[in-house]
Each structure stands twice: as C-alpha cells, then as structure tokens.
Coordinates of all heavy atoms in Angstrom, one line a residue:
S1102 N 64.3 86.4 96.8 CA 64.1 85.1 96.1 C 65.3 84.3 96.1 O 66.4 84.9 96.2 CB 63.5 85.3 94.7 OG 64.4 85.7 93.8
S1103 N 65.2 83.1 95.8 CA 66.4 82.2 95.8 C 67.2 82.5 94.5 O 68.4 82.3 94.5 CB 66.0 80.7 95.8 OG 65.2 80.4 94.6
T1104 N 66.6 83.0 93.4 CA 67.3 83.3 92.2 C 68.2 84.5 92.5 O 69.4 84.5 92.1 CB 66.3 83.7 91.1 OG1 65.5 82.6 90.9 CG2 67.1 84.0 89.8
S1105 N 67.7 85.6 93.1 CA 68.6 86.7 93.4 C 69.7 86.4 94.4 O 70.8 86.9 94.3 CB 67.7 87.9 93.9 OG 67.1 87.6 95.1
R1106 N 69.4 85.5 95.3 CA 70.4 85.1 96.3 C 71.5 84.3 95.6 O 72.6 84.5 95.8 CB 69.7 84.3 97.4 CG 70.6 84.0 98.6 CD 69.9 83.4 99.8 NE 68.8 82.5 99.4 CZ 67.6 82.7 99.7 NH1 67.2 83.8 100.4 NH2 66.6 81.8 99.4
G1107 N 71.0 83.4 94.6 CA 72.0 82.6 93.8 C 72.9 83.5 93.0 O 74.1 83.3 92.9
L1108 N 72.3 84.6 92.4 CA 73.1 85.5 91.6 C 74.0 86.3 92.4 O 75.2 86.5 92.0 CB 72.2 86.5 90.8 CG 71.4 85.9 89.6 CD1 70.5 87.0 89.0 CD2 72.4 85.5 88.6
G1109 N 73.6 86.6 93.6 CA 74.5 87.3 94.6 C 75.7 86.5 94.9 O 76.8 87.0 95.0
D1110 N 75.5 85.2 95.1 CA 76.6 84.3 95.4 C 77.6 84.2 94.2 O 78.8 84.2 94.4 CB 76.1 82.9 95.7 CG 75.3 82.8 97.0 OD1 75.5 83.7 97.8 OD2 74.6 81.8 97.2
V1111 N 77.0 84.2 93.0 CA 77.9 84.1 91.8 C 78.7 85.4 91.7 O 80.0 85.3 91.5 CB 77.1 84.0 90.5 CG1 77.9 84.2 89.3 CG2 76.4 82.6 90.5
Y1112 N 78.1 86.6 91.9 CA 78.9 87.8 91.8 C 79.9 87.9 93.0 O 81.0 88.4 92.7 CB 77.9 89.0 91.9 CG 77.1 89.2 90.6 CD1 75.8 89.2 90.6 CD2 77.8 89.3 89.4 CE1 75.1 89.3 89.4 CE2 77.1 89.4 88.2 CZ 75.8 89.4 88.2 OH 75.1 89.6 87.0
K1113 N 79.5 87.5 94.1 CA 80.5 87.5 95.2 C 81.7 86.7 94.9 O 82.8 87.1 95.2 CB 79.8 87.0 96.5 CG 80.7 87.1 97.7 CD 79.9 86.7 99.0 CE 80.9 86.7 100.2 NZ 80.2 86.3 101.4
R1114 N 81.5 85.5 94.4 CA 82.6 84.6 94.0 C 83.5 85.2 93.0 O 84.7 85.2 93.0 CB 82.1 83.2 93.5 CG 81.9 82.2 94.6 CD 81.8 80.8 94.1 NE 80.7 80.7 93.1 CZ 79.4 80.5 93.3 NH1 79.0 80.4 94.6 NH2 78.5 80.4 92.4
Q1115 N 82.8 85.8 92.0 CA 83.6 86.5 90.9 C 84.4 87.6 91.4 O 85.5 87.8 91.1 CB 82.6 86.9 89.8 CG 82.1 85.8 89.0 CD 81.1 86.3 87.9 OE1 80.5 87.4 88.0 NE2 80.7 85.4 87.0
F1116 N 83.8 88.4 92.3 CA 84.5 89.6 92.9 C 85.7 89.1 93.7 O 86.8 89.6 93.6 CB 83.5 90.4 93.8 CG 84.2 91.5 94.6 CD1 84.6 92.6 93.9 CD2 84.5 91.4 95.9 CE1 85.2 93.6 94.6 CE2 85.1 92.4 96.6 CZ 85.5 93.5 95.9
M1117 N 85.5 88.0 94.5 CA 86.6 87.5 95.4 C 87.7 87.0 94.5 O 88.9 87.1 94.8 CB 86.1 86.4 96.3 CG 85.2 87.0 97.4 SD 85.9 88.4 98.3 CE 87.3 87.6 99.1
Q1118 N 87.3 86.4 93.3 CA 88.4 85.9 92.4 C 89.2 87.0 91.9 O 90.4 87.0 91.7 CB 87.7 85.1 91.3 CG 87.3 83.7 91.7 CD 86.5 83.0 90.6 OE1 85.9 83.6 89.7 NE2 86.4 81.7 90.7
L1119 N 88.5 88.1 91.5 CA 89.2 89.3 91.0 C 90.1 89.9 92.1 O 91.2 90.3 91.7 CB 88.2 90.4 90.5 CG 87.4 90.1 89.3 CD1 86.3 91.1 89.0 CD2 88.4 90.0 88.1
V1120 N 89.6 90.0 93.3 CA 90.5 90.5 94.4 C 91.7 89.6 94.6 O 92.8 90.1 94.6 CB 89.7 90.6 95.7 CG1 90.6 90.8 96.9 CG2 88.6 91.6 95.6
Q1121 N 91.5 88.3 94.6 CA 92.6 87.4 94.7 C 93.6 87.4 93.6 O 94.8 87.5 93.8 CB 92.1 85.9 94.9 CG 93.1 85.0 95.3 CD 92.5 83.7 95.7 OE1 92.0 82.9 94.9 NE2 92.5 83.4 97.0
E1122 N 93.1 87.5 92.4 CA 94.0 87.7 91.2 C 94.8 89.0 91.3 O 96.0 89.0 91.0 CB 93.2 87.7 89.9 CG 92.7 86.3 89.5 CD 91.8 86.3 88.3 OE1 92.0 87.3 87.5 OE2 91.1 85.4 88.1
S1123 N 94.2 90.0 91.7 CA 94.9 91.3 91.9 C 96.0 91.2 93.0 O 97.1 91.7 92.8 CB 93.9 92.4 92.3 OG 94.5 93.6 92.5
R1124 N 95.6 90.5 94.1 CA 96.6 90.4 95.2 C 97.8 89.5 94.7 O 99.0 89.9 95.0 CB 96.0 89.7 96.4 CG 95.0 90.7 97.0 CD 94.1 89.9 98.0 NE 94.8 89.6 99.2 CZ 94.3 88.8 100.1 NH1 93.1 88.2 100.0 NH2 94.9 88.5 101.2
L1125 N 97.5 88.5 94.0 CA 98.6 87.6 93.5 C 99.5 88.3 92.4 O 100.7 88.1 92.4 CB 98.0 86.3 92.9 CG 97.4 85.4 94.0 CD1 96.7 84.2 93.3 CD2 98.5 84.8 94.9
T1126 N 98.9 89.1 91.6 CA 99.6 89.9 90.6 C 100.5 90.9 91.3 O 101.7 91.0 90.9 CB 98.7 90.6 89.6 OG1 97.9 89.6 89.0 CG2 99.4 91.5 88.7
R1127 N 100.0 91.5 92.3 CA 100.8 92.5 93.1 C 102.0 91.7 93.8 O 103.1 92.2 93.9 CB 99.9 93.2 94.1 CG 100.7 94.2 95.0 CD 101.2 95.4 94.3 NE 101.9 96.2 95.3 CZ 103.1 96.7 95.1 NH1 103.8 96.5 94.0 NH2 103.6 97.5 96.0
A1128 N 101.7 90.6 94.4 CA 102.7 89.8 95.1 C 103.8 89.4 94.1 O 105.0 89.5 94.5 CB 102.1 88.5 95.7
A1129 N 103.4 89.0 92.9 CA 104.4 88.6 91.9 C 105.3 89.8 91.6 O 106.5 89.7 91.4 CB 103.8 88.0 90.7
A1130 N 104.7 91.0 91.5 CA 105.5 92.2 91.2 C 106.4 92.5 92.3 O 107.6 92.9 92.1 CB 104.5 93.4 90.9
L1131 N 106.0 92.3 93.5 CA 106.9 92.5 94.7 C 108.1 91.5 94.6 O 109.2 91.8 94.9 CB 106.1 92.4 96.0 CG 105.2 93.5 96.3 CD1 104.2 93.2 97.4 CD2 106.0 94.8 96.6
L1132 N 107.8 90.2 94.3 CA 108.8 89.2 94.2 C 109.8 89.6 93.1 O 111.0 89.4 93.2 CB 108.2 87.8 93.9 CG 107.4 87.2 95.0 CD1 106.7 86.0 94.5 CD2 108.3 86.9 96.2
D1133 N 109.3 90.2 92.0 CA 110.2 90.7 90.9 C 111.2 91.8 91.4 O 112.2 91.9 90.8 CB 109.3 91.3 89.8 CG 108.7 90.2 88.9 OD1 109.1 89.0 89.0 OD2 107.7 90.5 88.3
T1134 N 110.8 92.5 92.5 CA 111.7 93.5 93.0 C 112.6 93.0 94.0 O 113.4 93.7 94.6 CB 110.9 94.7 93.6 OG1 110.2 94.3 94.8 CG2 109.9 95.3 92.6
G1135 N 112.5 91.7 94.3 CA 113.4 91.1 95.3 C 112.8 90.8 96.7 O 113.5 90.4 97.6
A1136 N 111.6 91.1 96.8 CA 110.9 90.9 98.1 C 110.9 89.4 98.4 O 110.8 88.6 97.5 CB 109.5 91.5 98.1
T1137 N 110.9 89.1 99.7 CA 110.7 87.7 100.1 C 109.3 87.3 99.9 O 108.4 88.1 99.8 CB 111.1 87.4 101.5 OG1 110.2 88.2 102.4 CG2 112.6 87.8 101.8
A1138 N 109.0 86.0 99.8 CA 107.7 85.5 99.7 C 106.8 85.9 100.9 O 105.7 86.4 100.7 CB 107.6 84.0 99.6
E1139 N 107.4 85.9 102.1 CA 106.6 86.3 103.3 C 106.3 87.8 103.2 O 105.2 88.2 103.5 CB 107.4 86.0 104.6 CG 106.6 86.3 105.8 CD 107.3 85.8 107.1 OE1 108.3 85.1 107.0 OE2 106.8 86.2 108.1
A1140 N 107.3 88.6 102.9 CA 107.1 90.0 102.8 C 106.0 90.3 101.7 O 105.1 91.2 102.0 CB 108.3 90.8 102.5
A1141 N 106.1 89.7 100.6 CA 105.1 89.9 99.5 C 103.7 89.5 100.0 O 102.7 90.3 99.8 CB 105.5 89.2 98.3
A1142 N 103.6 88.4 100.6 CA 102.3 87.9 101.1 C 101.7 88.8 102.1 O 100.5 89.2 102.0 CB 102.5 86.5 101.7
R1143 N 102.5 89.2 103.0 CA 101.9 90.1 104.0 C 101.6 91.5 103.4 O 100.5 92.1 103.8 CB 102.9 90.3 105.2 CG 103.2 89.0 105.8 CD 103.2 89.0 107.3 NE 103.6 87.7 107.9 CZ 102.8 86.7 108.1 NH1 101.5 86.8 107.8 NH2 103.2 85.6 108.7
E1144 N 102.4 92.0 102.5 CA 102.1 93.3 101.9 C 100.8 93.3 101.2 O 100.1 94.3 101.2 CB 103.2 93.6 100.9 CG 103.1 94.9 100.2 CD 103.2 96.2 101.0 OE1 103.9 96.1 102.1 OE2 102.6 97.2 100.6
V1145 N 100.4 92.2 100.5 CA 99.2 92.2 99.8 C 98.0 91.6 100.6 O 96.9 91.5 100.1 CB 99.3 91.4 98.4 CG1 100.4 92.1 97.6 CG2 99.6 89.9 98.7
G1146 N 98.2 91.3 101.9 CA 97.1 91.0 102.7 C 96.9 89.5 103.1 O 95.9 89.2 103.7
Y1147 N 97.9 88.7 102.8 CA 97.7 87.3 103.2 C 98.4 87.1 104.5 O 99.5 87.3 104.7 CB 98.4 86.3 102.2 CG 97.7 86.1 100.9 CD1 98.0 86.9 99.8 CD2 96.7 85.1 100.8 CE1 97.3 86.7 98.6 CE2 96.0 84.9 99.6 CZ 96.3 85.7 98.5 OH 95.6 85.6 97.3
A1148 N 97.6 86.6 105.5 CA 98.1 86.3 106.8 C 98.5 84.9 106.9 O 99.4 84.5 107.7 CB 97.0 86.6 107.9
N1149 N 97.9 84.0 106.1 CA 98.2 82.6 106.2 C 99.1 82.2 105.0 O 98.7 82.2 103.8 CB 96.8 81.8 106.0 CG 97.0 80.3 106.1 OD1 97.9 79.8 105.5 ND2 96.1 79.7 106.8
M1150 N 100.3 81.9 105.3 CA 101.4 81.7 104.3 C 101.0 80.4 103.5 O 101.3 80.4 102.3 CB 102.8 81.5 105.0 CG 103.3 82.9 105.5 SD 103.4 84.1 104.2 CE 104.7 83.4 103.2
S1151 N 100.5 79.4 104.1 CA 100.2 78.2 103.4 C 99.1 78.4 102.3 O 99.3 77.9 101.2 CB 99.6 77.1 104.4 OG 100.6 76.7 105.3
F1152 N 98.1 79.3 102.7 CA 97.1 79.6 101.7 C 97.7 80.4 100.6 O 97.4 80.2 99.4 CB 96.0 80.4 102.4 CG 94.8 80.7 101.5 CD1 94.0 79.6 101.1 CD2 94.5 82.0 101.1 CE1 92.9 79.9 100.2 CE2 93.5 82.2 100.3 CZ 92.6 81.2 99.8
F1153 N 98.6 81.4 100.9 CA 99.3 82.2 99.9 C 100.1 81.3 98.9 O 100.0 81.4 97.7 CB 100.2 83.2 100.5 CG 101.1 83.9 99.6 CD1 100.5 84.8 98.7 CD2 102.4 83.7 99.6 CE1 101.4 85.5 97.7 CE2 103.3 84.4 98.6 CZ 102.7 85.2 97.7
Y1154 N 100.9 80.4 99.5 CA 101.7 79.5 98.7 C 100.8 78.6 97.7 O 101.1 78.5 96.6 CB 102.5 78.5 99.5 CG 103.9 79.1 99.9 CD1 104.0 80.1 100.8 CD2 105.0 78.7 99.3 CE1 105.2 80.7 101.2 CE2 106.3 79.2 99.6 CZ 106.4 80.2 100.6 OH 107.6 80.7 100.9
K1155 N 99.7 78.1 98.3 CA 98.8 77.3 97.5 C 98.2 78.1 96.3 O 98.2 77.7 95.2 CB 97.6 76.8 98.4 CG 96.6 76.0 97.7 CD 95.5 75.6 98.6 CE 94.4 74.9 97.8 NZ 93.2 74.8 98.5
K1156 N 97.7 79.3 96.6 CA 97.1 80.1 95.6 C 98.1 80.6 94.6 O 97.8 80.7 93.4 CB 96.3 81.3 96.2 CG 95.1 80.8 97.0 CD 94.1 80.1 96.1 CE 92.9 79.5 96.7 NZ 92.1 78.8 95.8
F1157 N 99.3 81.0 95.0 CA 100.3 81.4 94.1 C 100.7 80.3 93.2 O 100.8 80.5 92.0 CB 101.5 81.9 94.9 CG 102.5 82.7 94.1 CD1 102.5 84.0 94.0 CD2 103.5 82.0 93.4 CE1 103.4 84.8 93.2 CE2 104.4 82.7 92.6 CZ 104.3 84.1 92.5
A1158 N 100.9 79.1 93.7 CA 101.2 78.0 92.9 C 100.1 77.7 91.8 O 100.4 77.3 90.7 CB 101.5 76.8 93.7
E1159 N 98.9 77.8 92.3 CA 97.8 77.6 91.3 C 97.8 78.6 90.2 O 97.6 78.2 89.0 CB 96.4 77.7 92.0 CG 96.1 76.5 92.9 CD 94.8 76.7 93.7 OE1 94.1 77.7 93.5 OE2 94.5 75.8 94.6
R1160 N 98.1 79.8 90.5 CA 98.1 80.9 89.5 C 99.4 80.8 88.6 O 99.3 81.0 87.4 CB 98.0 82.2 90.2 CG 98.2 83.4 89.3 CD 96.9 83.8 88.7 NE 97.1 84.9 87.7 CZ 97.0 86.2 87.9 NH1 96.8 86.6 89.1 NH2 97.2 87.0 86.9
Y1161 N 100.6 80.6 89.2 CA 101.8 80.8 88.4 C 102.5 79.4 88.1 O 103.5 79.4 87.5 CB 102.8 81.7 89.2 CG 102.3 83.1 89.2 CD1 101.6 83.7 90.3 CD2 102.4 83.9 88.0 CE1 101.1 85.0 90.2 CE2 101.9 85.2 88.0 CZ 101.3 85.7 89.1 OH 100.8 87.0 89.1
G1162 N 102.0 78.3 88.7 CA 102.6 77.0 88.4 C 103.9 76.7 89.1 O 104.6 75.8 88.7
C1163 N 104.2 77.5 90.1 CA 105.4 77.3 90.9 C 105.3 78.0 92.2 O 104.4 78.9 92.4 CB 106.6 77.8 90.2 SG 106.6 79.6 89.9
T1164 N 106.1 77.7 93.1 CA 106.1 78.4 94.4 C 106.6 79.8 94.3 O 107.3 80.1 93.3 CB 107.0 77.7 95.5 OG1 108.3 77.7 95.1 CG2 106.5 76.2 95.6
P1165 N 106.3 80.7 95.3 CA 106.9 82.0 95.2 C 108.4 82.0 95.2 O 109.0 82.8 94.5 CB 106.4 82.7 96.5 CG 105.1 82.0 96.8 CD 105.4 80.5 96.4
A1166 N 109.0 81.1 95.9 CA 110.5 81.0 95.9 C 111.0 80.6 94.5 O 112.0 81.2 94.1 CB 111.0 80.0 97.0
A1167 N 110.4 79.7 93.9 CA 110.8 79.3 92.5 C 110.6 80.5 91.5 O 111.4 80.7 90.7 CB 110.1 78.1 92.1
Y1168 N 109.5 81.2 91.7 CA 109.2 82.3 90.9 C 110.3 83.4 91.0 O 110.8 83.9 90.1 CB 107.9 82.9 91.3 CG 107.4 84.1 90.4 CD1 106.7 83.9 89.3 CD2 107.7 85.4 90.8 CE1 106.2 84.9 88.5 CE2 107.3 86.5 90.0 CZ 106.6 86.2 88.9 OH 106.1 87.3 88.1
R1169 N 110.7 83.6 92.3 CA 111.8 84.6 92.5 C 113.1 84.2 92.0 O 113.9 85.0 91.5 CB 111.8 84.8 94.1 CG 112.6 86.0 94.5 CD 112.4 86.3 95.9 NE 113.4 87.2 96.4 CZ 114.1 87.1 97.5 NH1 113.8 86.1 98.3 NH2 115.0 88.0 97.8
R1170 N 113.4 82.8 92.1 CA 114.7 82.3 91.6 C 114.9 82.5 90.1 O 116.0 82.5 89.6 CB 114.8 80.8 91.9 CG 115.3 80.6 93.4 CD 115.8 79.2 93.6 NE 114.8 78.2 93.3 CZ 113.9 77.7 94.1 NH1 113.9 78.1 95.4 NH2 113.0 76.8 93.8
R1171 N 113.8 82.7 89.4 CA 113.9 82.8 87.9 C 114.5 84.2 87.5 O 114.8 84.4 86.4 CB 112.6 82.6 87.2 CG 111.7 83.8 87.3 CD 110.3 83.6 86.9 NE 109.5 84.8 86.6 CZ 109.6 86.0 87.0 NH1 110.5 86.4 87.8 NH2 108.8 86.9 86.6
L1172 N 114.6 85.1 88.5 CA 115.1 86.4 88.2 C 116.6 86.4 88.1 O 117.3 85.6 88.8 CB 114.8 87.4 89.4 CG 113.3 87.6 89.7 CD1 113.1 88.4 91.0 CD2 112.7 88.4 88.5
P1173 N 117.1 87.2 87.2 CA 118.6 87.3 87.0 C 119.2 87.9 88.3 O 118.5 88.8 88.9 CB 118.8 88.2 85.8 CG 117.5 88.9 85.6 CD 116.4 88.1 86.2
R1174 N 120.3 87.5 88.7 CA 120.9 88.1 89.9 C 121.9 89.1 89.6 O 122.5 89.3 88.7 CB 121.6 87.0 90.7 CG 120.6 86.0 91.1 CD 121.1 85.0 92.1 NE 120.0 84.1 92.4 CZ 119.7 83.8 93.6 NH1 120.5 84.2 94.6 NH2 118.7 83.0 93.9

C-alpha cells in the first residue's frame, strides 16, 4: 500500500540520517587526532569532498579545516 511505502521512505531517511551523523562524528574524531579533512572524509566513506564539506559544515557550523584549527598545537 502507499501508506507502508510512505513509512518505508520515512524510516529509510531516518536511517540514512543516523548513518550520516555517525560518519560525521567519526570524521570529527579523526580531525581531533590531527587527520587531514581529506583523510578523515575518505576513512569514513565520503568519496565526494564537496559533499563532505557541505555536510560537515551543516553539522558543526564550520569547515573541517576550521574545526581542526581549533585544536591546540
């Protein structure tokens, strides 16, 4: 039915959001250890750097490079 198909779409979106949040959290942790943005993105499964930068900025309010710069040297 269209209702079950609609619910499936909702759950799929929610699942994908959870996956994306998990990947971004892991990427931030990698940046905390000194990894480059490219290395962190690739490690967590992002092949498209533009998409990674966009999603990271949406989640953390800054680019991965700015996030990494906040670390003490």
Side-chain angles (χ1 to χ4, degrees):
S1102 80
S1103 65
T1104 302
S1105 63
R1106 191 171 34 246
L1108 284 175
D1110 290 345
V1111 168
Y1112 288 123
K1113 183 178 178 182
R1114 271 195 305 275
Q1115 289 175 345
F1116 175 75
M1117 291 308 296
Q1118 287 172 339
L1119 287 173
V1120 169
Q1121 191 167 72
E1122 286 177 21
S1123 175
R1124 291 166 75 192
L1125 291 170
T1126 299
R1127 176 72 178 129
L1131 290 167
L1132 292 170
D1133 285 339
T1134 67
T1137 65
E1139 184 173 353
R1143 300 227 183 274
E1144 176 70 25
V1145 300
Y1147 284 93
N1149 183 319
M1150 290 301 294
S1151 295
F1152 186 70
F1153 171 69
Y1154 272 74
K1155 177 184 174 192
K1156 292 301 177 183
F1157 193 93
E1159 286 175 6
R1160 171 85 189 268
Y1161 291 100
C1163 63
T1164 66
Y1168 183 90
R1169 193 169 164 223
R1170 279 195 301 268
R1171 83 193 195 330
L1172 296 173
R1174 297 191 180 226

